[in-house]
Amino acid sequence: MTDSMPYQASHSHSRPHCFCGNTRPYEKCCKPIHDGEKKASTAEALMRARYSAYESGNVQFILDTWHPDHRFEEDIDDIREFANSNEWLELRVLKTQGMPRHATGMQASVEFVAFFRQKGQQGFNQHHEKSTFRFLEGHWYFVEGKPMPPIKLNRNDSCPCGSGKKYKICCGC
C-alpha cells in the first residue's frame, strides 16, 4: 500500500502541491524528473510524474517513459489532444506492488484513479487503471495499463471536481 495524499486541485503551476498529489511543489517533485535532472526512484514515482506530465502538457515525457518495446504504439498527436482537452483534477494512488530494489527486469504495478473532466464541461470522469512498470538499465518504464472498473466514491469523500465540497453535496447528488 502507498502513503499517497490526494490534493485539492487548483490547476496552477504556483500551487503549493505538485500535480501528482504529493505535498512538495511541482518544482521540487515531478519537474526535476521531467527535466531529466533526477530519475524516478520507484514505479509509483514514475506513474506520478507521468500524471503530472499529462497535466503540465509534457507529452514528450509520456512517450520517453514508455518501455522501448512498447513505445510509439500511440500517436503523439493523440496523446497531446487527450492531455490538452482535459482538465486534470486529482490523482489517487490505490495500491503499489513490487519490490523497491532496482534490478534490470524488475517489474512493479501501480493501481490508480485519475479524475478529470473535459474542458468546458461540469462534473468529472475517472480513469481507473492498473499499470505495469519495468526497470531497465537504470530507469523505470511504463509497459502497459489494464483498465479497471470505476471506483465507488463515498458520500463524505472530497469531491474530485475540485470544488472543496463533499461528494454528496456536489457531483454526487
Side-chain angles (χ1 to χ4, degrees):
M1 220 29 111
T2 184
D3 58 345
S4 63
M5 301 172 77
Y7 66 87
Q8 287 297 320
S10 65
H11 306 290
S12 134
H13 289 281
S14 63
R15 70 171 161 223
H17 302 273
C18 186
F19 302 124
C20 77
N22 281 332
T23 57
R24 294 173 301 196
Y26 169 71
E27 291 74 15
K28 294 185 183 206
C29 187
C30 289
K31 188 175 189 311
I33 298 171
H34 291 168
D35 293 345
E37 298 168 9
K38 179 180 161 185
K39 294 179 185 179
S41 59
T42 64
E44 181 180 339
L46 178 59
M47 190 279 311
R48 287 179 175 279
R50 286 173 58 87
Y51 173 86
S52 290
Y54 274 99
E55 186 160 341
S56 64
N58 189 344
V59 176
Q60 191 61 51
F61 180 83
I62 295 165
L63 274 177
D64 290 346
T65 55
W66 249 315
H67 190 281
D69 293 345
H70 301 271
R71 198 171 289 160
F72 306 116
E73 287 183 5
E74 290 194 40
D75 180 52
I76 192 166
D77 294 329
D78 291 340
I79 297 168
R80 183 175 290 109
E81 172 65 26
F82 182 67
N84 293 333
S85 67
N86 291 297
E87 181 181 2
W88 299 92
L89 303 171
E90 183 179 334
L91 174 67
R92 294 184 187 177
V93 176
L94 305 177
K95 187 176 183 182
T96 58
Q97 293 178 312
M99 301 300 288
R101 57 185 178 190
H102 296 87
T104 293
M106 170 63 196
Q107 190 164 296
S109 66
V110 180
E111 183 180 349
F112 68 93
V113 179
F115 294 95
F116 65 97
R117 74 171 139 235
Q118 290 184 320
K119 288 184 178 171
Q121 301 293 315
Q122 297 295 314
F124 62 88
N125 299 306
Q126 61 172 280
H127 176 80
H128 181 190
E129 179 178 298
K130 183 175 182 180
S131 294
T132 303
F133 296 84
R134 191 164 296 134
F135 194 76
L136 177 68
E137 298 174 0
H139 298 275
W140 282 102
Y141 290 96
F142 170 77
V143 176
E144 65 182 348
K146 176 184 172 192
M148 306 287 284
I151 65 167
K152 183 178 185 315
L153 295 171
N154 293 317
R155 294 172 33 85
N156 289 323
D157 286 346
S158 173
C159 191
C161 78
S163 68
K165 298 176 183 176
K166 289 185 177 183
Y167 178 63
K168 69 181 176 186
I169 59 171
C170 192
C171 295
C173 60

